Amino acid sequence: MNKNNLLIQLFMIITVCLLIISGCSNSDKQQETFDQFSNLLSNQKYDQLYGLLSTESKRTITKEEFVEKYTNIYSGIEAEDISVSRIEKEHEENVIPFSINMNTVAGEVSSSSYQLPLVKEEKEWKITWNESLIFPTMKPGDKVKVRTIKASRGSILDRNGHPIAKDGEIKTVGINPEVFDKSNREGKIKELATILDINEERIVKKLEQNKNPKYFVPIVDMMPDNEILNTLQDRGADGIFINNKTSRTYINHKAFGRLLGYVGSITAEELEKNKEKGYSTTSLIGKAGLEQVYEDTLRGFDGVEIYIVRDQEKVETIASKEPQHGENITLTIDSNLQSIIYDEMNEEKGSAAAVHPKTGEVLALVSSPSYNSNRYTTYVTNEEQQSREESDFADEVNRFSKLYSPGSVFKLVTATAGLERGTIDPEKQISINGRSWQKDSSWGNYSITRVNTQSSVNLKDAVKYSDNIYFAMSALDLGSDTLISGAKKFGIGEPLEMGYPLGDSQVSNSESIKSDILLADSGYGQGEVLVTTLNMALAYSALSNDGNIMAPSLLQEENQNIKIWKESAIASAHLSTLQRAFTAVINEEGGTANDAKISGITLAGKTGTAEIKASQVDENGTENGWFIATDLETAKISLAVVLEDVKERGGSHATLPIIKNTLSDYLK
């Protein structure tokens, strides 16, 4: 080989090596640029990412525009956990294939169609940027949109499947300022305020807050059957319009307000408390009643679509998530019965509860006065607000979950415990002289009084005439522990699980009854005994159900589990004795509830008057009146009612028409 050939071969080898070295160097530098791109995009550091762009790319988009574009798109789709990975596959020179995975409001978005074009500038590799680096199919001028697909909230149904809370349609009364302001603006504001029964300032404020005279300004929402709408029809020439709106709607009756509750816009505090549950600042959430108790069941999860818009048309869906609608719940409540009871209570302060003795189904839970839940999705008139203020906002108290002193309706518990213990002989006549009695002189000035004057009474008489002295004596014979355990056989003093939080009943403030006076008072339902109306409706249901008390339930479910909660609360040996005694209260002349007798229907029950006093010698206290009745023949209902402050209204007799009229309707 001559010298020239040798030199040529050597030159070629050196050239190849230099090319290899140069190629390796370029590849490393390109990888370095990609790694920077990956890191900055993953951490959403868009201002630093802009620094990787080529000079030509920077001529097409400013740093501010670049940062704003990425920020708006990625924050709009709620991009998180962005992962950028190089893909090893054939590719054009100076182009790096890669993929992006990210979590978004519409779920996971993943694409392996990305390509990162690079150009060398002064020994550095820069990115030739365009919109396809945001999403592969994007072009200049495209926009990324996010559409919420609304989920419906589950409905609340009564026992017959009728919706008493659902997503429905309401009407919005509003103004088009461009037309409204043309003539007689002040006159129309005054007229509209009068028709809607709101203050003029409310309308003026909403109009002033609007910045575009062409925009519809909503003033109030109302139910579609509101007669006011008829007055405002066809007022478009005056700039007054009525639009449709989707909203939560409720059965149009006050009987259900405290039970159903309502939904409202989520607060910052609620959002923080539920931050792991997928709520947003625009979410609605249950604020009270069943809407709040069953929020997790009723609420839906909105669906989302992320898509690309080009020339005002959707060209591609990037990701989508279908809405997850809320679940319906079906109650055991009889909505017709609930309405009847509420109407009979005439918005007097009080509570009522009804159960089915054979199944434990809660047929009614009434708090009076209550509210129409639709007011929270529509508006409150001046008249209604004034009425609420005059009642000291009495409708804000949930009385069916409230604890009351039961008074004489507790005598069923004492009588049952006495019969079981053997301290009460039902036929034995007990001599009682006068209307007051005390155990001995250790009671000082305190004595127990009764309303009847019989010189001797047996159990039936004592129940029929509601003899406090008889039951005070019986409680002392029983003793503290036996009376408390006897109450627990009826579920009093134990948690009451029924699908809605209620106050916890009790016989005493501690595990025992500390004194003879307190024990004697407890025997006829005074002292420290506290119950809900549901507690007592369940207790009396034992008279209609072979002495058993069924587990209460508020929700109807498939394969409903009907079970006994308190078996033999009344032993079979004593059931007929107690049925005769508590039937006499209603069916026999002289019984305290004889005015509630219904021809053809056999009811057992009891009246009760609970004194609410600051002390045992206080003569200026108030009284709550009770009446409970259960039908013995059909065993369809046990109903308890308590009214507050009946001292000047006939005491417990104020409750008799409520139950008589309700059961006359329900049982016939």
Side-chain angles (χ1 to χ4, degrees), residues 429-488:
Q429 294 291 133
I430 304 297
S431 297
I432 302 174
N433 296 315
R435 290 191 172 183
S436 65
W437 172 86
Q438 60 178 201
K439 178 184 176 183
D440 53 41
S441 61
S442 67
W443 284 18
N445 293 327
Y446 186 75
S447 62
I448 291 170
T449 60
R450 61 176 183 164
V451 294
N452 58 305
T453 58
Q454 285 76 14
S455 58
S456 68
V457 292
N458 59 16
L459 176 61
K460 179 183 172 184
D461 295 331
V463 173
K464 176 180 173 180
Y465 300 120
S466 200
D467 195 312
N468 290 343
I469 295 175
Y470 181 96
F471 284 98
M473 292 176 172
S474 298
L476 291 172
D477 290 339
L478 280 169
S480 168
D481 292 344
T482 305
L483 182 62
I484 291 173
S485 63
K488 287 184 176 180

Side-chain angles (χ1 to χ4, degrees), residues 289-556:
L290 291 167
E291 292 279 29
Q292 183 180 54
V293 174
Y294 291 96
E295 168 67 16
D296 290 344
T297 301
L298 294 166
R299 70 170 293 208
F301 293 86
D302 291 342
V304 182
E305 181 186 21
I306 301 171
Y307 59 98
I308 295 174
V309 173
R310 184 177 301 149
D311 298 328
Q312 299 183 345
E313 291 187 6
K314 182 171 75 174
V315 294
E316 183 186 10
T317 296
I318 302 297
S320 64
K321 181 175 68 175
E322 291 299 313
Q324 181 180 333
H325 300 298
E327 296 179 33
N328 296 343
I329 60 173
T330 301
L331 307 180
T332 57
I333 295 292
D334 184 320
S335 58
N336 185 53
L337 177 65
Q338 178 96 358
S339 300
I340 292 171
I341 295 171
Y342 187 85
D343 291 341
E344 289 293 337
M345 292 179 75
N346 197 32
E347 299 204 345
E348 296 285 345
K349 292 179 183 177
S351 166
V355 297
H356 193 300
K358 294 293 185 181
T359 66
E361 293 171 297
V362 179
L363 302 174
L365 280 176
V366 177
S367 176
S368 176
S370 184
Y371 55 79
N372 188 323
S373 293
N374 288 308
R375 82 172 180 208
Y376 289 98
T377 51
T378 56
Y379 77 108
V380 179
T381 65
N382 287 339
E383 181 182 6
E384 183 180 0
Q385 183 62 18
Q386 181 180 347
S387 175
R388 296 185 68 216
E389 291 172 359
E390 290 173 352
S391 72
D392 197 23
F393 298 96
D395 60 359
E396 293 185 355
V397 178
N398 188 349
R399 290 177 170 81
F400 67 70
S401 66
K402 180 179 174 180
L403 295 170
Y404 290 92
S405 174
S408 291
V409 295
F410 188 75
K411 290 171 180 175
L412 174 63
V413 174
T414 306
T416 304
L419 289 171
E420 187 72 23
R421 186 73 171 179
T423 55
I424 290 179
D425 177 348
E427 302 304 325
K428 183 179 179 180
Q429 294 291 133
I430 304 297
S431 297
I432 302 174
N433 296 315
R435 290 191 172 183
S436 65
W437 172 86
Q438 60 178 201
K439 178 184 176 183
D440 53 41
S441 61
S442 67
W443 284 18
N445 293 327
Y446 186 75
S447 62
I448 291 170
T449 60
R450 61 176 183 164
V451 294
N452 58 305
T453 58
Q454 285 76 14
S455 58
S456 68
V457 292
N458 59 16
L459 176 61
K460 179 183 172 184
D461 295 331
V463 173
K464 176 180 173 180
Y465 300 120
S466 200
D467 195 312
N468 290 343
I469 295 175
Y470 181 96
F471 284 98
M473 292 176 172
S474 298
L476 291 172
D477 290 339
L478 280 169
S480 168
D481 292 344
T482 305
L483 182 62
I484 291 173
S485 63
K488 287 184 176 180
K489 291 190 69 174
F490 285 87
I492 297 170
E494 293 188 355
L496 183 59
E497 304 290 342
M498 47 72 71
Y500 194 106
L502 302 175
D504 292 330
S505 61
Q506 65 174 52
V507 181
S508 70
N509 295 338
S510 60
E511 294 182 359
S512 63
I513 301 172
K514 301 297 185 182
S515 70
D516 281 349
I517 290 178
L518 189 57
L519 177 58
D521 283 342
S522 301
Y524 58 95
Q526 291 282 172
E528 296 170 346
V529 185
L530 293 172
V531 295
T532 64
T533 46
L534 183 58
N535 281 123
M536 299 316 298
L538 286 166
Y540 276 75
S541 72
L543 292 168
S544 298
N545 189 36
D546 302 320
N548 301 315
I549 300 175
M550 307 306 291
S553 59
L554 184 60
L555 297 190
Q556 279 189 354

Side-chain angles (χ1 to χ4, degrees), residues 200-215:
E200 294 177 34
E201 292 77 10
R202 180 171 176 176
I203 300 174
V204 172
K205 184 177 180 181
K206 291 200 173 192
L207 290 173
E208 289 176 347
Q209 289 174 340
N210 178 55
K211 302 304 180 185
N212 190 329
K214 294 183 178 181
Y215 285 174

